[in-house]
Amino acid sequence: MNIYKTKDYDEMSRRAAAVIAAQVILKPDCVLGLATGSSPVGLYQNLITQYEKGELDFSKVTSVNLDEYQGLGPDHPQSYRKFMNANLFDHINIDLSRTFVPDGLEADSEKACTEYDQIIEQTGGVDLQLLGLGNNGHIGFNEPDEAFACGTHCVELTQSTIEANKRFFASEDEVPRYAYTMGIRGIMLAKKILLIVSGSAKAQALKDALYGPVTPKVPASVLQLHPDVVVVADEEAMKLL
Protein backbone atom coordinates (compact mmCIF):
# COMPACT_ATOMS: atom_id res chain seq x y z
CA MET A 1 0.00 0.00 0.00
CA ASN A 2 1.32 3.42 -1.01
CA ILE A 3 0.00 6.41 0.95
CA TYR A 4 0.39 9.98 -0.30
CA LYS A 5 -0.35 13.00 1.86
CA THR A 6 -1.45 16.19 0.12
CA LYS A 7 -1.98 19.70 1.42
CA ASP A 8 -5.65 20.03 0.47
CA TYR A 9 -8.50 18.78 -1.71
CA ASP A 10 -7.16 20.43 -4.87
CA GLU A 11 -3.76 18.81 -4.54
CA MET A 12 -5.40 15.48 -3.71
CA SER A 13 -7.48 15.77 -6.89
CA ARG A 14 -4.45 16.54 -9.05
CA ARG A 15 -2.37 13.73 -7.56
CA ALA A 16 -5.16 11.19 -7.93
CA ALA A 17 -5.95 12.31 -11.49
CA ALA A 18 -2.31 11.68 -12.37
CA VAL A 19 -2.68 8.06 -11.25
CA ILE A 20 -5.70 7.53 -13.51
CA ALA A 21 -4.07 9.43 -16.39
CA ALA A 22 -1.03 7.16 -16.16
CA GLN A 23 -3.31 4.12 -16.36
CA VAL A 24 -5.03 5.44 -19.49
CA ILE A 25 -1.73 6.31 -21.16
CA LEU A 26 -0.10 2.97 -20.34
CA LYS A 27 -3.17 0.95 -21.38
CA PRO A 28 -5.46 2.96 -23.71
CA ASP A 29 -8.13 0.22 -23.68
CA CYS A 30 -8.17 -0.12 -19.90
CA VAL A 31 -11.24 -0.72 -17.75
CA LEU A 32 -11.75 1.99 -15.14
CA GLY A 33 -13.93 1.43 -12.10
CA LEU A 34 -15.38 4.84 -11.26
CA ALA A 35 -16.99 6.43 -8.22
CA THR A 36 -19.43 9.25 -7.54
CA GLY A 37 -20.00 11.72 -4.72
CA SER A 38 -18.16 14.91 -3.87
CA SER A 39 -14.70 13.34 -3.46
CA PRO A 40 -13.93 12.58 -7.14
CA VAL A 41 -15.39 15.76 -8.68
CA GLY A 42 -12.05 17.61 -8.62
CA LEU A 43 -10.27 14.55 -9.96
CA TYR A 44 -12.68 14.37 -12.90
CA GLN A 45 -12.20 18.08 -13.58
CA ASN A 46 -8.46 17.49 -13.81
CA LEU A 47 -8.96 14.61 -16.26
CA ILE A 48 -11.21 16.81 -18.41
CA THR A 49 -8.54 19.52 -18.48
CA GLN A 50 -5.90 17.01 -19.54
CA TYR A 51 -8.20 15.71 -22.26
CA GLU A 52 -8.88 19.24 -23.53
CA LYS A 53 -5.13 19.84 -23.74
CA GLY A 54 -4.79 16.74 -25.89
CA GLU A 55 -2.90 14.83 -23.24
CA LEU A 56 -5.45 12.02 -22.79
CA ASP A 57 -7.52 9.88 -25.14
CA PHE A 58 -10.48 7.99 -23.66
CA SER A 59 -11.81 6.61 -26.96
CA LYS A 60 -10.89 3.00 -26.12
CA VAL A 61 -11.60 3.14 -22.37
CA THR A 62 -14.38 1.11 -20.76
CA SER A 63 -15.86 2.18 -17.41
CA VAL A 64 -17.93 0.45 -14.75
CA ASN A 65 -19.41 2.42 -11.91
CA LEU A 66 -19.59 1.25 -8.33
CA ASP A 67 -23.24 1.86 -7.64
CA GLU A 68 -26.63 3.36 -8.40
CA TYR A 69 -29.69 4.24 -6.33
CA GLN A 70 -32.53 1.76 -6.66
CA GLY A 71 -35.53 3.44 -8.25
CA LEU A 72 -33.67 6.23 -10.04
CA GLY A 73 -33.47 6.20 -13.84
CA PRO A 74 -30.55 7.56 -15.88
CA ASP A 75 -32.31 10.89 -16.47
CA HIS A 76 -33.06 11.56 -12.80
CA PRO A 77 -31.00 14.57 -11.70
CA GLN A 78 -29.56 12.68 -8.71
CA SER A 79 -28.88 9.37 -10.44
CA TYR A 80 -25.27 8.33 -10.64
CA ARG A 81 -25.53 7.90 -14.41
CA LYS A 82 -26.54 11.56 -14.62
CA PHE A 83 -23.67 12.47 -12.29
CA MET A 84 -21.10 10.68 -14.43
CA ASN A 85 -22.39 12.26 -17.63
CA ALA A 86 -22.35 15.75 -16.15
CA ASN A 87 -19.02 15.48 -14.34
CA LEU A 88 -16.97 13.47 -16.83
CA PHE A 89 -18.47 11.58 -19.78
CA ASP A 90 -20.05 14.58 -21.55
CA HIS A 91 -16.68 16.34 -21.60
CA ILE A 92 -14.35 13.64 -22.92
CA ASN A 93 -14.28 11.32 -25.94
CA ILE A 94 -15.35 8.15 -24.15
CA ASP A 95 -17.77 5.83 -25.99
CA LEU A 96 -20.96 6.01 -23.90
CA SER A 97 -21.93 2.51 -25.01
CA ARG A 98 -18.91 1.29 -23.05
CA THR A 99 -19.79 3.10 -19.82
CA PHE A 100 -21.75 0.97 -17.37
CA VAL A 101 -23.80 1.82 -14.29
CA PRO A 102 -26.14 -0.56 -12.41
CA ASP A 103 -29.73 -0.39 -13.66
CA GLY A 104 -31.54 1.53 -10.94
CA LEU A 105 -34.92 0.99 -12.61
CA GLU A 106 -34.69 -2.80 -12.50
CA ALA A 107 -37.08 -3.69 -9.67
CA ASP A 108 -35.86 -7.28 -9.51
CA SER A 109 -32.77 -6.77 -7.38
CA GLU A 110 -31.39 -10.26 -8.00
CA LYS A 111 -31.64 -9.77 -11.75
CA ALA A 112 -30.09 -6.29 -11.63
CA CYS A 113 -27.14 -7.51 -9.58
CA THR A 114 -26.51 -10.69 -11.58
CA GLU A 115 -26.59 -8.77 -14.85
CA TYR A 116 -24.13 -6.18 -13.54
CA ASP A 117 -21.68 -8.83 -12.38
CA GLN A 118 -21.89 -10.35 -15.85
CA ILE A 119 -21.13 -6.98 -17.41
CA ILE A 120 -18.04 -6.55 -15.24
CA GLU A 121 -16.87 -10.05 -16.14
CA GLN A 122 -17.40 -9.40 -19.84
CA THR A 123 -15.19 -6.30 -19.71
CA GLY A 124 -12.28 -8.53 -18.76
CA GLY A 125 -11.99 -7.11 -15.26
CA VAL A 126 -11.22 -3.71 -13.77
CA ASP A 127 -7.69 -2.42 -14.24
CA LEU A 128 -8.02 0.47 -11.80
CA GLN A 129 -10.82 0.96 -9.29
CA LEU A 130 -11.42 4.44 -7.87
CA LEU A 131 -12.92 4.59 -4.39
CA GLY A 132 -14.07 7.25 -1.99
CA LEU A 133 -14.49 6.59 1.72
CA GLY A 134 -17.69 7.00 3.71
CA ASN A 135 -17.75 8.50 7.19
CA ASN A 136 -18.60 5.04 8.51
CA GLY A 137 -15.87 3.32 6.49
CA HIS A 138 -18.04 2.22 3.59
CA ILE A 139 -16.70 1.80 0.06
CA GLY A 140 -19.21 1.94 -2.75
CA PHE A 141 -22.39 1.34 -0.79
CA ASN A 142 -20.89 -1.58 1.11
CA GLU A 143 -22.07 -0.54 4.55
CA PRO A 144 -20.77 -1.84 7.90
CA ASP A 145 -22.11 -5.36 8.38
CA GLU A 146 -21.48 -8.71 10.02
CA ALA A 147 -19.86 -10.14 6.87
CA PHE A 148 -18.29 -8.84 3.66
CA ALA A 149 -20.74 -8.89 0.75
CA CYS A 150 -19.30 -10.64 -2.28
CA GLY A 151 -20.94 -9.76 -5.58
CA THR A 152 -23.09 -6.84 -6.67
CA HIS A 153 -26.03 -6.62 -4.28
CA CYS A 154 -28.90 -4.46 -3.10
CA VAL A 155 -28.16 -2.70 0.17
CA GLU A 156 -30.29 -0.74 2.60
CA LEU A 157 -28.49 2.53 3.24
CA THR A 158 -27.59 3.40 6.81
CA GLN A 159 -28.87 6.57 8.41
CA SER A 160 -25.36 8.07 8.38
CA THR A 161 -25.13 7.54 4.62
CA ILE A 162 -28.59 9.02 4.10
CA GLU A 163 -27.52 12.02 6.20
CA ALA A 164 -24.34 12.43 4.14
CA ASN A 165 -26.23 12.28 0.83
CA LYS A 166 -29.28 14.37 1.67
CA ARG A 167 -27.46 17.55 0.61
CA PHE A 168 -27.85 16.41 -3.00
CA PHE A 169 -31.66 16.18 -2.68
CA ALA A 170 -34.40 18.70 -1.91
CA SER A 171 -35.07 16.93 1.40
CA GLU A 172 -33.98 13.87 3.35
CA ASP A 173 -37.28 12.18 2.46
CA GLU A 174 -36.26 12.15 -1.21
CA VAL A 175 -33.04 10.22 -0.59
CA PRO A 176 -33.51 6.62 -1.79
CA ARG A 177 -33.24 4.02 0.96
CA TYR A 178 -31.75 1.29 -1.22
CA ALA A 179 -28.97 1.08 -3.77
CA TYR A 180 -27.25 -1.44 -6.00
CA THR A 181 -23.53 -1.62 -5.33
CA MET A 182 -20.52 -3.55 -6.53
CA GLY A 183 -19.56 -5.99 -3.80
CA ILE A 184 -16.30 -6.36 -1.93
CA ARG A 185 -15.26 -9.24 -4.18
CA GLY A 186 -15.73 -7.10 -7.30
CA ILE A 187 -13.69 -4.29 -5.77
CA MET A 188 -10.92 -6.58 -4.59
CA LEU A 189 -10.62 -8.24 -8.01
CA ALA A 190 -9.47 -4.94 -9.52
CA LYS A 191 -5.80 -5.03 -10.45
CA LYS A 192 -5.16 -1.67 -8.80
CA ILE A 193 -7.20 0.40 -6.33
CA LEU A 194 -7.07 4.16 -5.83
CA LEU A 195 -8.63 5.45 -2.59
CA ILE A 196 -9.13 9.21 -2.25
CA VAL A 197 -10.04 10.85 1.06
CA SER A 198 -10.51 14.50 1.99
CA GLY A 199 -11.56 16.37 5.11
CA SER A 200 -11.43 15.92 8.87
CA ALA A 201 -14.82 14.18 8.91
CA LYS A 202 -13.16 11.16 7.27
CA ALA A 203 -10.12 11.08 9.59
CA GLN A 204 -11.35 8.37 11.97
CA ALA A 205 -12.67 6.22 9.14
CA LEU A 206 -9.32 6.47 7.32
CA LYS A 207 -7.39 5.54 10.44
CA ASP A 208 -9.66 2.56 11.07
CA ALA A 209 -9.45 1.46 7.45
CA LEU A 210 -5.66 1.59 7.18
CA TYR A 211 -4.51 0.64 10.67
CA GLY A 212 -7.42 -1.07 12.39
CA PRO A 213 -8.37 -4.74 12.22
CA VAL A 214 -9.76 -6.09 8.94
CA THR A 215 -13.45 -6.30 9.71
CA PRO A 216 -16.75 -5.97 7.81
CA LYS A 217 -17.73 -3.40 10.42
CA VAL A 218 -15.22 -1.13 8.61
CA PRO A 219 -15.64 -2.27 5.00
CA ALA A 220 -12.65 -0.27 3.70
CA SER A 221 -10.35 -2.19 6.06
CA VAL A 222 -10.41 -5.06 3.55
CA LEU A 223 -8.16 -2.95 1.32
CA GLN A 224 -5.28 -3.89 3.63
CA LEU A 225 -5.42 -7.31 1.94
CA HIS A 226 -5.12 -6.01 -1.65
CA PRO A 227 -1.68 -6.19 -3.27
CA ASP A 228 -1.79 -2.81 -5.05
CA VAL A 229 -3.54 0.07 -3.29
CA VAL A 230 -2.74 3.77 -3.65
CA VAL A 231 -4.18 6.11 -1.02
CA VAL A 232 -4.23 9.85 -1.73
CA ALA A 233 -5.53 11.88 1.21
CA ASP A 234 -5.23 15.47 2.37
CA GLU A 235 -3.82 16.71 5.66
CA GLU A 236 -7.19 16.97 7.37
CA ALA A 237 -8.14 13.40 6.50
CA MET A 238 -4.75 12.15 7.72
CA LYS A 239 -4.60 14.11 10.95
CA LEU A 240 -5.11 10.99 13.12
CA LEU A 241 -2.46 8.90 11.36
Side-chain angles (χ1 to χ4, degrees):
M1 183 179 289
N2 294 303
I3 303 173
Y4 298 97
K5 182 179 181 179
T6 65
K7 181 179 179 181
D8 52 24
Y9 176 83
D10 289 341
E11 186 183 349
M12 180 204 74
S13 299
R14 290 192 298 272
R15 190 71 173 264
V19 175
I20 294 183
Q23 176 68 66
V24 174
I25 292 169
L26 290 171
K27 187 179 180 184
D29 61 346
C30 64
V31 179
L32 298 178
L34 299 178
T36 55
S38 55
S39 295
V41 170
L43 181 161
Y44 292 150
Q45 290 171 347
N46 276 270
L47 292 178
I48 292 167
T49 298
Q50 289 179 264
Y51 165 73
E52 291 173 341
K53 291 180 178 179
E55 298 170 357
L56 290 176
D57 177 12
F58 293 91
S59 62
K60 297 179 180 179
V61 169
T62 298
S63 74
V64 291
N65 259 75
L66 280 169
D67 39 37
E68 179 60 282
Y69 288 117
Q70 186 186 51
L72 298 193
D75 294 327
H76 190 284
Q78 300 306 331
S79 75
Y80 286 151
R81 163 59 74 178
K82 192 76 169 180
F83 174 97
M84 291 306 306
N85 289 348
N87 287 282
L88 183 63
F89 297 155
D90 287 348
H91 309 285
I92 59 176
N93 65 332
I94 197 166
D95 181 351
L96 286 178
S97 69
R98 298 222 308 258
T99 63
F100 300 99
V101 179
D103 183 1
L105 290 181
E106 176 53 69
D108 184 336
S109 58
E110 184 175 347
K111 180 182 178 183
C113 296
T114 299
E115 289 180 346
Y116 200 62
D117 279 337
Q118 290 172 346
I119 287 171
I120 296 170
E121 184 177 353
Q122 289 166 4
T123 67
V126 175
D127 291 295
L128 188 155
Q129 177 65 59
L130 173 65
L131 298 174
L133 180 67
N135 291 351
N136 60 2
H138 76 236
I139 45 178
F141 274 132
N142 291 283
E143 300 280 16
D145 206 341
E146 296 302 316
F148 289 114
C150 291
T152 300
H153 58 289
C154 184
V155 61
E156 182 176 4
L157 304 183
T158 64
Q159 187 58 41
S160 66
T161 298
I162 292 169
E163 286 286 333
N165 289 350
K166 70 180 182 180
R167 67 187 187 278
F168 301 116
F169 294 81
S171 70
E172 181 179 325
D173 291 340
E174 292 187 14
V175 182
R177 267 43 183 177
Y178 293 88
Y180 296 131
T181 184
M182 189 186 299
I184 295 296
R185 180 185 64 197
I187 291 170
M188 293 293 283
L189 284 174
K191 298 177 182 70
K192 187 183 191 75
I193 292 175
L194 171 61
L195 177 68
I196 57 173
V197 193
S198 176
S200 59
K202 305 287 182 72
Q204 186 63 54
L206 183 60
K207 179 182 178 182
D208 293 342
L210 300 187
Y211 296 107
V214 175
T215 169
K217 295 185 182 299
V218 183
S221 65
V222 76
L223 300 180
Q224 296 178 39
L225 305 179
H226 193 280
D228 190 0
V229 176
V230 175
V231 180
V232 184
D234 62 19
E235 290 179 351
E236 284 298 304
M238 295 184 71
K239 68 181 183 179
L240 299 181
L241 302 188

